[in-house]
Amino acid sequence: MDGMMGTLIYFVVIIAIMYFLLFRPEKKRKKQQQEMRDSLKIGDTITTIGGIVGTIVDVDKELIVIETGEDRVRIQLARWAVGSIGKAAEETN
């Protein structure tokens, strides 16, 4: 019986370690990304997950419109496509 209890405790410890090293940081990162995407506003400079850099000119519930380059091309994107916002995006220019 002691051997079985030791094995059970071992598995519980392994699961707890996996939670704190793998799942919890990933959940925190996803929450931060969602908060960043929810805070998008007109005039913000963004970089998409595909590497497109532009300035937001229109914000909708699920979509944003950005303006890229000097030729002022406008692209409509889904909010989930935004990779970063602000200073990090400006450094990629």
Side-chain angles (χ1 to χ4, degrees), residues 53-66:
V53 178
T55 304
I56 298 176
V57 293
D58 189 27
V59 178
D60 195 3
K61 183 178 178 183
E62 303 227 356
L63 300 173
I64 62 170
V65 177
I66 64 170

Side-chain angles (χ1 to χ4, degrees), residues 28-93:
K28 186 177 179 181
R29 185 183 62 81
K30 284 184 179 183
K31 183 179 178 184
Q32 288 174 337
Q33 283 181 337
Q34 188 60 41
E35 288 173 355
M36 180 263 306
R37 291 176 179 142
D38 289 340
S39 71
L40 294 174
K41 60 187 179 301
I42 295 174
D44 286 345
T45 301
I46 63 161
T47 302
T48 67
I49 57 176
I52 299 170
V53 178
T55 304
I56 298 176
V57 293
D58 189 27
V59 178
D60 195 3
K61 183 178 178 183
E62 303 227 356
L63 300 173
I64 62 170
V65 177
I66 64 170
E67 202 169 77
T68 62
E70 292 182 23
D71 54 357
R72 302 176 62 111
V73 173
R74 291 189 175 202
I75 303 172
Q76 187 176 25
L77 302 166
R79 277 184 181 254
W80 60 262
V82 177
S84 62
I85 185 173
K87 189 174 182 178
E90 291 170 0
E91 291 175 358
T92 60
N93 282 339

